Amino acid sequence: MVVRTRHGQGARLHRHGLARCCEGGLWGFVNLAGERVIAAQYTEAEGFSNGLAAVKVSDDQWRYIDCDGQFAFDGAFSHAGKFSACGLAAAAPGQDQPWGYIDRQGRWAIAPRFYRAWAFTAGGVAPAGASQRKWGLIDNGGHWITPASFEFIYPFNDDAYASFTDSGSDDEPGGYLDPRGVTVIGGKWVSKEMHAGVAVNGDRGFVTADGPLTFPVELRWVREFDDSGYALARTADFAPGPKAIPVATVWGFAQRDGRFVPAPENALEPLTLDGFIPDNESGTPLTPFLMRDGQIALLDSDARTVLHWQREVCAGGECAVLYDHAGTALWRAMPCDSLAVHAPFFVLPPESFLAPVDTFEQIPDFATAMLDDIECRLHELVDSQAGTPRTTISHRLLRVYISEPHNTEYDFLGRVRSGTRGVARERIIAALEQRFGPSDTDPDLAGAGERADSIAWPVQLRQPLKTMHGAKVDANRLWIAIYCDDGSEDADAWFDIWMDCGPSIETLEMASAGTIAEQEDPDDDDDDDEIEDTAEDDALAGTPCEQWIAAVKRRDYAIEEVRAELMDDVLCETALAHGSDALLYLSARWQTPERLASLVRKDVYSAIRIPPACMTAAALALARALYGTDPDWQEADAEASTVPPYLNDYSIRKVWGCLLDYEQCLRAVRERASLASIPRWLRTPELEAIALDNDIGDIRWLEKGDITADLVRQALSDPEANAVRYIPAALLSTEMCLLAVRTEATTLRSMAPELRTAEICAAALEKDRYILHDVPEAVREPAVTRLIDKDLRSSTAIREQRTFSKWHKLRAWIKLFQQDYQGAIADATQALRALPESDDAHYIIAYAFRETGQHDAAAREAFLVLSSDSDYREEFNHNASTAWLHPLARAVRPCAGTQRQAVQADSGRLQERGILPGDGASRELRALLRAGGAAHARAVHRRRARQQHGARLCSGSAAGRGAAGARRTQVLR
């Protein structure tokens, strides 16, 4: 039962008739009537258990009080657990000291000798740790019942089972133990929480000590059983079996006896808060559902409506009325002007996702406005010929977005939202067909690219273009097109519908009057943009401390990468100069009460920006005293002072840390909340172990002294963790660095320069050669030479006896950057033996020959590059100008001897591949071919057939290059 009081945040009523109550950031106790019995005076407090409660009396001390608020005995402890029915409580005498068990007089019944200890069951069995990763079971005399051989054991639950993990075991990596130490449930994907004797097994199954539960329907999503013996569930959208026949999904309740009870037909979906289904109130087995008529019904485990809320018009406006199943009004709220209708979350109308318009009926008018805009731009292009205005525009019509927390919680939501997007697409098509007629699935829309699912409508220009050229087949035509685009990033997902509007390729060419065709870019190497190399930028002049100060000035989060021996107050204040939110990146040692108070006193905005997880009770009281009347503070404080019923990473990060207790944090971490959202004073080895099990990337938020070699190995084995920069340098051995780059090559850029040795850089390049720009210049050639030697040794081992390797091409690039042109030619020549079709190797040779004045040889290589790819771009610098290739290639004249044979051979090869036309070619193509410009001939031919050329016309060649470069790899220094 929960008591809501006028004193502030209420808490669960315990059997002793007292419940915790938070008032002004401090905790006390109230009785059943909500009356204060023990004044709010403690920064933290646990609930009463067997007549005693633990309360925090100072930063590092807990004591026990009785139901009258008097101290039960004189002892104080750094950690204090609840008293069990056997009369013992787990406790630790000081920070970083072993745990033991005390009796109700505060005497040590079991002397402190455990790494960590949990509460005893009524039968006198408790989990305890001999060390961080060695856990077993003990009796109330402190003797081992089960040897300390498990990686971790959680406290016993109400069903007398204890969850365990044992990653070293292939047979039973996890599961549940009974008080005898016998594994009653085992498996890799068994949940850590159990209710009514049922645990979740995998994403969609349940298991008990008697075995798995089976149901007559296929379940797609399940939540944990509650203490009443049932669980909310959602069925799959297909029938079980090999044919996977689609069926309608149903919400309902999975029962412990294997039954599935569907919700009533008029039930729309479970009630949600911020998109999450809240837990049922303990002892109240009722699940709120949003009904199709807008009412809110509370269903029992058999899906019967026990209570329902209804909005009614009354004197003074509207009010909410609570009815029982017989229709008797039980309670009526005070009237107000109007009541908001609770919106659904899972079943949303497609209109709710539209962006530039409110209804589907408005889309044709929106498209017409886009067409008018494009037509004006085309006429402007014809009249002025000054530059190339953008003649294709795009607008997003609809975005169906799923946030990371929702996508993680509901694995079915992607299919639901994608289906909603599908319905929206059909309605958009219907609206556009009504205005513009039948659609076309193969539009020649300039600049639209190749989109397989594009559907478009042709529209004639209202005023034909005035040009000196004759009209062509598709001239004076615009297109309006729609297409779908899906995406995801960091577990977010979205389903979009875009609308493109622009001219046909022929219309754009006619408007351009030929001024944009086949332009060559100037050879302007000096203007190539360079992407800043952050690793080199960090290597500034000065002492190491000065270098870090400069780094922290640029980005506050760099403070968490500073080595412990270099940290000082100057660095801390430099980071906090960016704002109070930098406090999150400071270790516990530097998050002092004085520093926190200074940030609060600075101004109201500094106080608001303090990370909630860092807000202590004293700092919150100070902020409220200073800014209690400030509207901005009032709004921020009100939001952060509300502890939501459902705690996960999304919701807990918004709550002041001092208002949370350990159990709430533990519940949030089990719902995959990050350690960054958990106040440091509430973190325990148990809680940190769960967080790291969820995401080893949370190693970032551990105190550096708590990071072990085993944790480092786990973190560096996870390609998503990106943990290198947060690991103490002493733990980053050569073995660990090699593990990191072999797992994910991009971790190299997070390593300190002194760690980027030739051996480690070679391993990173072997994984991903495009990491080259993160390899120090002095190490590049030795690293690649290692790869060449390794490759040649492997060929010797299999008796292949090669003297060339594909890695010669990478070393050729390096030598080209070093202006070692002869070395580049030699390595590129070797690379061509391993990679005969390599455009890059031919380009390197052409560049080196040109720089050394061997223009005939350079021309032949340039021709070979363009004969394969007329739009060639440098492999490691897509922004570098390659326009010089074209005039060089045209210098190749098919006059006699080997030159004639080479050009004819290349021309024949291009004809066979369908790139160059035969005897029926146009005059323009034949002229280019006779001039030896095979690559240009191919480019003209492809322009007629591919829509990408329209994109270049549309945006201008220089802008097109810049956009392409921005999407490609970074530029090497």
Side-chain angles (χ1 to χ4, degrees):
M1 180 176 182
V2 169
V3 178
R4 301 293 179 191
T5 78
R6 64 180 182 276
H7 305 300
Q9 182 181 338
R12 197 168 306 284
L13 187 71
H14 294 272
R15 287 180 299 172
H16 298 83
L18 297 180
R20 294 180 303 145
C21 179
C22 184
E23 181 180 357
L26 298 176
W27 290 87
F29 293 85
V30 296
N31 60 18
L32 182 61
E35 300 167 336
R36 185 189 296 111
V37 175
I38 300 174
Q41 56 189 297
Y42 307 110
T43 56
E44 296 179 51
E46 296 291 343
F48 274 92
S49 176
N50 292 289
L52 298 177
V55 293
K56 194 171 187 179
V57 295
S58 67
D59 285 345
D60 298 319
Q61 286 197 328
W62 289 75
R63 295 191 64 180
Y64 288 89
I65 60 172
D66 59 23
C67 294
D68 296 323
Q70 302 298 314
F71 289 120
F73 43 80
D74 292 335
F77 309 90
S78 64
H79 300 282
K82 293 183 178 181
F83 273 91
S84 303
C86 66
L88 300 180
Q95 291 288 344
D96 301 322
Q97 293 188 22
W99 287 59
Y101 291 87
I102 59 172
D103 60 20
R104 294 175 59 85
Q105 286 72 45
R107 297 175 302 218
W108 290 106
I110 301 176
R113 64 174 186 273
F114 303 108
Y115 171 78
R116 184 71 167 85
W118 301 134
F120 277 101
T121 64
V125 179
S131 65
Q132 185 175 1
R133 293 186 179 275
K134 294 291 183 181
W135 286 71
L137 301 180
I138 61 173
D139 61 21
N140 55 12
H143 307 108
W144 293 104
I145 299 174
T146 300
S149 58
F150 294 91
E151 184 177 355
F152 193 79
I153 303 179
Y154 295 84
F156 277 95
N157 58 31
D158 293 339
D159 300 298
Y161 297 120
S163 174
F164 72 88
T165 59
D166 191 6
S167 59
S169 170
D170 295 331
D171 297 330
E172 299 293 348
Y176 284 86
L177 301 173
D178 67 12
R180 298 169 299 166
V182 176
T183 301
V184 292
I185 298 175
K188 186 175 182 180
W189 307 111
V190 178
S191 65
K192 300 296 187 294
E193 287 197 18
M194 170 187 286
H195 298 278
V198 183
V200 177
N201 187 20
D203 291 334
R204 304 160 190 167
F206 297 104
V207 63
T208 69
D210 299 322
L213 294 182
T214 58
F215 300 91
V217 294
E218 188 81 16
L219 301 181
R220 177 60 191 262
W221 177 88
V222 299
R223 74 182 307 170
E224 295 175 344
F225 267 67
D226 74 357
D227 295 331
S228 301
Y230 74 101
L232 180 67
R234 176 186 168 99
T235 62
D237 53 4
F238 58 88
K243 295 186 178 180
I245 302 171
V247 295
T249 58
V250 176
W251 290 96
F253 302 105
Q255 308 286 343
R256 201 182 189 286
D257 59 8
R259 291 181 299 128
F260 177 80
V261 182
E265 290 186 3
N266 64 330
L268 182 64
E269 62 180 46
L271 195 70
T272 57
L273 299 174
D274 295 326
F276 295 100
I277 302 173
D279 293 333
N280 294 341
E281 192 68 49
S282 180
T284 310
L286 299 176
T287 303
F289 260 77
L290 184 63
M291 312 304 281
R292 298 185 186 276
D293 59 4
Q295 295 185 22
I296 297 175
L298 278 73
L299 308 182
D300 65 10
S301 60
D302 289 319
R304 296 172 297 198
T305 300
V306 178
L307 303 168
H308 71 271
W309 289 97
Q310 186 169 314
R311 184 177 62 168
E312 294 183 357
V313 177
C314 60
E318 294 181 337
C319 64
V321 184
L322 180 65
Y323 290 91
D324 65 11
H325 67 283
T328 304
L330 303 178
W331 185 81
R332 191 179 301 270
M334 295 293 292
C336 59
D337 293 338
S338 63
L339 286 176
V341 178
H342 194 92
F345 174 73
F346 300 104
V347 183
L348 289 172
E351 293 89 343
S352 62
F353 298 105
L354 290 172
V357 294
D358 296 322
T359 66
F360 291 102
E361 290 73 22
Q362 296 172 344
I363 288 178
D365 290 336
F366 184 77
T368 300
M370 292 175 67
L371 290 165
D372 291 343
D373 185 10
I374 292 299
E375 182 164 349
C376 290
R377 297 185 188 201
L378 287 172
H379 287 294
E380 177 187 342
L381 175 62
V382 172
D383 294 339
S384 68
Q385 289 299 334
T388 308
R390 184 183 176 196
T391 53
T392 298
I393 55 178
S394 299
H395 283 290
R396 186 169 60 206
L397 295 180
L398 174 142
R399 163 157 284 196
V400 181
Y401 176 76
I402 309 176
S403 68
E404 176 184 356
H406 293 142
N407 205 17
T408 302
E409 176 69 14
Y410 310 113
D411 65 347
F412 63 85
L413 192 55
R415 291 174 62 89
V416 173
R417 294 287 191 257
S418 178
T420 302
R421 196 266 305 273
V423 173
R425 180 176 182 271
E426 294 305 315
R427 293 186 63 178
I428 292 172
I429 292 173
L432 292 173
E433 284 185 338
Q434 186 175 4
R435 173 72 60 89
F436 300 109
S439 60
D440 189 331
T441 58
D442 188 23
D444 66 331
L445 172 58
E450 297 177 356
R451 299 185 176 116
D453 64 342
S454 181
I455 184 168
W457 291 261
V459 180
Q460 291 299 119
L461 288 176
R462 296 181 182 179
Q463 180 182 353
L465 296 176
K466 299 175 182 178
T467 70
M468 58 187 295
H469 300 274
K472 303 180 183 180
V473 177
D474 290 328
N476 293 310
R477 174 183 290 179
L478 302 180
W479 286 96
I480 192 79
I482 64 167
Y483 68 95
C484 297
D485 180 54
D486 303 342
S488 63
E489 183 177 356
D490 295 334
D492 292 9
W494 56 86
F495 307 90
D496 295 347
I497 297 179
W498 286 81
M499 177 178 282
D500 286 343
C501 182
S504 66
I505 294 176
E506 299 292 352
T507 303
L508 182 56
E509 288 180 343
M510 187 170 67
S512 303
T515 59
I516 310 176
E518 297 306 319
Q519 295 181 6
E520 288 188 7
D521 301 318
D523 184 6
D524 190 7
D525 293 338
D526 292 337
D527 290 338
D528 288 342
D529 293 333
E530 292 189 355
I531 304 301
E532 180 179 325
D533 187 331
T534 56
E536 292 184 9
D537 184 53
D538 284 343
L540 302 175
T543 66
C545 187
E546 291 170 341
Q547 294 175 24
W548 277 114
I549 290 175
V552 172
K553 283 182 178 178
R554 292 194 304 278
R555 44 190 179 92
D556 56 354
Y557 55 86
I559 192 71
E560 60 184 332
E561 303 170 30
V562 180
R563 298 197 302 270
E565 63 270 19
L566 295 178
M567 276 293 295
D568 58 18
D569 288 320
V570 174
L571 276 166
C572 291
E573 297 308 320
T574 303
L576 292 171
H578 289 273
S580 304
D581 39 14
L583 193 67
L584 187 66
Y585 305 121
L586 300 183
S587 64
R589 175 186 173 186
W590 301 99
Q591 287 188 22
T592 63
E594 295 77 16
R595 180 163 282 120
L596 187 57
S598 175
L599 291 172
V600 171
R601 294 181 185 278
K602 184 176 180 181
D603 56 51
V604 65
Y605 301 107
S606 176
I608 290 173
R609 289 184 63 184
I610 290 174
C614 302
M615 184 67 84
T616 65
L620 182 60
L622 176 62
R624 286 172 172 170
L626 293 174
Y627 312 118
T629 59
D630 186 285
D632 291 330
W633 168 259
Q634 290 174 344
E635 180 181 354
D637 187 32
E639 180 181 4
S641 296
T642 303
V643 181
Y646 182 83
L647 288 170
N648 59 11
D649 190 47
Y650 178 76
S651 57
I652 197 172
R653 70 177 64 171
K654 299 181 178 181
V655 182
W656 296 133
C658 59
L659 304 184
L660 297 168
D661 59 30
Y662 177 74
E663 292 300 326
Q664 290 170 327
C665 293
L666 188 62
R667 193 162 70 245
V669 169
R670 285 174 176 164
E671 294 296 331
R672 306 191 70 83
S674 168
L675 280 177
S677 306
I678 307 300
R680 291 181 182 272
W681 58 86
L682 292 179
R683 298 179 192 175
T684 65
E686 175 206 12
L687 190 145
E688 291 176 345
I690 297 172
L692 293 170
D693 188 50
N694 292 337
D695 181 6
I696 191 63
D698 266 5
I699 196 174
R700 170 184 186 179
W701 306 110
L702 291 182
E703 292 296 319
K704 295 298 183 278
D706 295 336
I707 297 178
T708 64
D710 286 342
L711 288 176
V712 172
R713 189 176 299 278
Q714 291 180 49
L716 298 184
S717 299
D718 186 341
E720 303 296 328
N722 191 23
V724 168
R725 67 183 62 191
Y726 311 117
I727 294 172
L731 295 176
L732 282 176
S733 62
T734 298
E735 176 193 0
M736 293 297 186
C737 291
L738 287 171
L739 172 63
V741 298
R742 286 169 178 163
T743 301
E744 176 53 58
T746 55
T747 57
L748 183 70
R749 64 174 59 115
S750 300
M751 292 182 183
E754 60 270 18
L755 295 176
R756 303 185 203 184
T757 63
E759 180 183 7
I760 291 167
C761 290
L765 289 168
E766 188 172 22
K767 178 80 173 177
D768 180 4
R769 67 181 183 275
Y770 292 107
I771 202 70
L772 182 64
H773 62 275
D774 292 305
V775 177
E777 289 187 13
V779 178
R780 288 175 184 171
E781 186 173 341
V784 179
T785 300
R786 278 176 169 264
L787 295 176
I788 293 173
D789 293 342
K790 178 181 177 181
D791 191 26
L792 297 183
R793 284 196 303 271
S794 67
S795 72
T796 302
I798 61 174
R799 299 184 179 180
E800 188 180 349
Q801 297 294 328
R802 281 189 287 108
T803 59
F804 52 87
S805 166
K806 65 178 181 179
W807 295 109
H808 275 106
K809 186 185 76 168
L810 187 56
R811 195 169 70 179
W813 277 119
I814 294 170
K815 291 184 176 179
L816 193 70
F817 301 144
Q818 296 171 346
Q819 299 182 6
D820 176 7
Y821 298 123
Q822 295 303 324
I825 292 171
D827 276 340
T829 302
Q830 290 285 68
L832 282 171
R833 298 178 65 190
L835 306 167
E837 300 296 325
S838 173
D839 301 338
D840 297 316
H842 284 300
Y843 175 84
I844 293 168
I845 296 173
Y847 192 106
F849 276 145
R850 185 187 66 153
E851 292 299 312
T852 56
Q854 303 177 63
H855 294 289
D856 289 342
R860 286 194 298 272
E861 297 294 333
F863 179 83
L864 291 173
V865 173
L866 295 178
S867 68
S868 177
D869 184 359
S870 65
D871 294 325
Y872 177 82
R873 288 288 181 262
E874 282 192 12
E875 183 177 16
F876 291 100
N877 183 0
H878 286 260
N879 286 335
S881 173
T882 57
W884 58 270
L885 290 168
H886 294 271
L888 265 180
R890 282 198 294 271
V892 178
R893 299 294 179 180
C895 51
T898 57
Q899 280 193 341
R900 176 185 297 275
Q901 294 172 5
V903 172
Q904 287 178 344
D906 279 309
S907 300
R909 178 160 58 90
L910 295 175
Q911 274 191 343
E912 290 175 4
R913 290 162 57 185
I915 295 173
L916 289 181
D919 294 337
S922 68
R923 181 183 307 168
E924 181 185 12
L925 293 177
R926 290 199 304 271
L928 282 169
L929 183 56
R930 284 196 301 271
H936 281 268
R938 186 188 68 167
V940 174
H941 182 67
R942 287 169 60 197
R943 183 186 63 189
R944 306 288 182 182
R946 296 180 58 193
Q947 296 174 351
Q948 280 86 344
H949 182 67
R952 196 160 66 245
L953 288 173
C954 180
S955 60
S957 59
R961 257 194 345 272
R967 292 191 296 271
R968 292 171 176 148
T969 57
Q970 291 181 324
V971 179
L972 287 165
R973 278 197 177 275

